Amino acid sequence: MNKAKIGRNDPCPCGSGKKYKNCCLRLEGSGERIGSPFDAYNSWMATLKLKLDKNYAVQIKKIRKPMQEQFLRLSSDKVLPRGQETFFSDWLWFDMTDSEGMTFGREYLNEHHSFMEASLRECLEALNQSYLSIYAVNAAAGNTLDLQDLLAGTSHSVLLKEPLALDLDQSPFLMGRLAALPDGSVFSGMAAMLLNNKGQGDFIKEYIDYWLKLQPCVAMEDLRKQHGEVIYGLFDHASQAISLPINDIRCLPAGTTAAVLAGEIRKSPVFELIHRTAGISWYEMKDSVTPTRLGIHDNGSLVFYTDAVKDIVEADQILQLKTAGWKIVNSLFPFAPPDPDLGDIHYNVIKEQQAERWLQTPHEELENKSPAEVLQESGGRDRILSMLDSFNQQADLNDYSRDLLDYMRARLNSED
């Protein structure tokens, strides 16, 4: 059917169920080239996003809150700044998929492409293929920026509305979503800037390197499209100079490699035996950024945990974390539950972490001293054991709490 024969009040031929005047008619003429490529591209993107917002208003209203919580799961304060709303809305339209793997942007293009001008189709396809990433600024000349994608290492020439004054001596970074169009790439909406004046670049690169090594078999395009919230969280923490705990837990099954590494750990000056509890000898890595421990199990297997990427890098020099067949039990980045086969290992580490946290936390019942401090006093061990007994008598404790109390008792009674 030719669009010229469609009446304004006729049903829209795209099948939306709306009148033509309230649907695809609004796109007519929107793809005309006006002004510079930058102005035209931004006008087209604004038109398309307004259309997406209106077309999927009902669906988006239902999912906006939980999806925003997911997008902000790695941000420092879990609040979306007003000026950065475009990062979330673009992620919602162009990255978030339904049960069939379809995004709002892809669905809209499939349903309306026959009724859209070629320029708008091309622009929407570029948005559908875009992804949030972090870029190093290599050069700025006139209305163009030369960028390098920190994840993929690819180079991009980006159009600007007007020349941007940048201090390249501070090696600035940009976070944004690039839409690759015929006359040059442009940022979809805003781009956030970060100066590399306090080691922010090294921070970002360390975490990206860690993230990529966790998932070596995942295609780069899929990694960026499926985990934009990781990019956003990394940039947010770098901007505020706040570390991002990774809760990395990994294990090495019993075997020749584990036996060799266990022998090296026992004689290494970097690791110190802290305690032996429930069949596991726990060694602490000295001078670590966060509590970093390795457990040697009586069955010959090894388990390792840390919260800092820097500790992963240091431990890798001893433990061959990348090449020795270690299995990832848990990490903040994949955002997936542990493999059921590794559930017991995860549970044992959680108990060890919780026990350590409790031991190092001041308590009112102990005159604001930590249990670890009280243990150094005469009769301190008996006092802490009595405290645990009082906790155990509470009727509302669940099975995990009682198991944790039993573990802490066993730890206090273990050999140092």
Side-chain angles (χ1 to χ4, degrees):
M1 181 181 293
N2 192 303
K3 281 200 270 188
K5 298 180 181 179
I6 304 173
R8 288 174 53 83
N9 292 313
D10 290 340
C12 188
C14 76
S16 66
K18 301 178 181 179
K19 292 182 179 181
Y20 182 52
K21 67 181 181 181
N22 295 325
C23 196
C24 289
L25 177 61
R26 295 178 177 177
L27 295 179
E28 286 194 7
S30 299
E32 295 179 3
R33 182 67 170 270
I34 301 176
S36 67
F38 177 90
D39 290 334
Y41 291 157
N42 274 272
S43 176
W44 297 344
M45 285 192 290
T47 297
L48 290 166
K49 291 179 182 181
L50 181 62
K51 186 64 179 175
L52 286 170
D53 201 35
K54 290 184 177 180
N55 195 73
Y56 295 106
V58 175
Q59 296 97 312
I60 289 176
K61 184 178 180 180
K62 294 179 180 178
I63 65 173
R64 177 175 291 277
K65 183 176 180 180
M67 289 300 99
Q68 184 167 309
E69 290 176 354
Q70 180 177 333
F71 183 71
L72 297 174
R73 73 178 181 90
L74 296 183
S75 67
S76 56
D77 55 13
K78 307 298 185 289
V79 175
L80 184 66
R82 183 178 298 276
Q84 297 187 6
E85 292 175 352
T86 182
F87 293 134
F88 170 64
S89 58
D90 281 359
W91 176 82
L92 191 62
W93 289 326
F94 307 120
D95 292 350
M96 193 207 71
T97 58
D98 60 18
S99 59
E100 297 179 355
M102 183 67 69
T103 65
F104 288 127
R106 183 65 62 187
E107 180 181 89
Y108 188 85
L109 182 61
N110 291 346
E111 294 178 354
H112 296 79
H113 72 280
S114 299
F115 312 101
M116 298 172 64
E117 296 179 44
S119 56
L120 290 179
R121 288 200 305 270
E122 193 171 52
C123 187
L124 183 53
E125 180 57 37
L127 288 170
N128 283 331
Q129 294 180 0
S130 68
Y131 46 81
L132 190 63
S133 196
I134 301 175
Y135 301 89
V137 181
N138 292 331
N143 290 24
T144 303
L145 283 179
D146 290 333
L147 307 179
Q148 183 177 32
D149 189 322
L150 292 187
L151 272 80
T154 52
S155 298
H156 302 268
S157 180
V158 182
L159 301 178
L160 301 174
K161 184 174 181 61
E162 56 190 21
L164 185 63
L166 289 175
D167 184 358
L168 295 183
D169 290 336
Q170 297 193 38
S171 306
F173 293 95
L174 296 176
M175 177 180 67
R177 177 182 292 265
L178 286 181
L181 290 157
D183 290 330
S185 296
V186 293
F187 279 113
S188 170
M190 74 164 293
M193 182 181 295
L194 171 65
L195 297 180
N196 185 23
N197 55 3
K198 296 180 180 179
Q200 296 94 329
D202 291 339
F203 173 91
I204 292 173
K205 291 174 182 177
E206 283 179 354
Y207 276 87
I208 286 178
D209 185 58
Y210 165 76
W211 184 30
L212 296 179
K213 288 174 181 175
L214 280 182
Q215 304 177 89
C217 298
V218 179
M220 180 65 67
E221 179 181 353
D222 293 338
L223 197 64
R224 292 177 297 196
K225 291 291 284 183
Q226 295 171 8
H227 296 291
E229 82 283 4
V230 173
I231 296 296
Y232 184 84
L234 276 183
F235 197 86
D236 174 66
H237 278 75
S239 299
Q240 301 189 50
I242 301 174
S243 63
L244 181 58
I246 55 176
N247 194 21
D248 184 287
I249 302 173
R250 54 187 70 193
C251 65
L252 182 63
T256 302
T257 302
V260 171
L261 288 179
E264 293 180 2
I265 293 302
R266 292 188 179 100
K267 63 184 181 182
S268 171
V270 177
F271 287 87
E272 178 183 4
L273 179 63
I274 301 300
H275 67 91
R276 172 179 164 76
T277 304
I280 301 178
S281 298
W282 287 101
Y283 290 78
E284 184 167 64
M285 192 167 77
K286 298 178 181 178
D287 301 322
S288 55
V289 178
T290 63
T292 298
R293 295 191 173 178
L294 182 137
I296 302 177
H297 201 285
D298 286 349
N299 64 15
S301 64
L302 305 182
V303 61
F304 171 88
Y305 74 81
T306 187
D307 258 344
V309 172
K310 288 185 179 296
D311 292 335
I312 288 280
V313 174
E314 182 176 345
D316 182 48
Q317 300 176 6
I318 303 171
L319 306 179
Q320 306 171 49
L321 298 179
K322 293 180 293 186
T323 60
W326 290 79
K327 296 181 179 179
I328 299 298
V329 179
N330 185 77
S331 174
L332 183 69
F333 283 1
F335 196 48
D339 186 317
D341 292 338
L342 305 176
D344 289 344
I345 296 173
H346 185 250
Y347 186 61
N348 288 335
V349 171
I350 294 299
K351 287 192 296 184
E352 171 65 14
Q353 291 174 323
Q354 293 278 17
E356 181 64 24
R357 189 175 298 116
W358 183 81
L359 284 168
Q360 302 301 327
T361 302
H363 299 274
E364 291 184 3
E365 301 92 331
L366 302 175
E367 293 81 42
N368 289 321
K369 297 179 183 178
S370 70
E373 291 173 320
V374 174
L375 285 173
Q376 303 304 313
E377 302 173 354
S378 176
R381 184 182 298 272
D382 290 338
R383 185 179 179 187
I384 299 302
L385 288 172
S386 177
M387 185 178 182
L388 294 178
D389 287 339
S390 67
F391 291 158
N392 201 31
Q393 293 171 6
Q394 298 177 15
D396 58 346
L397 290 181
N398 56 31
D399 291 341
Y400 171 73
S401 296
R402 295 191 185 280
D403 195 22
L404 179 59
L405 287 172
D406 288 342
Y407 180 81
M408 288 192 290
R409 286 185 63 84
R411 176 166 171 177
L412 290 175
N413 290 319
S414 66
E415 296 182 8
D416 295 333

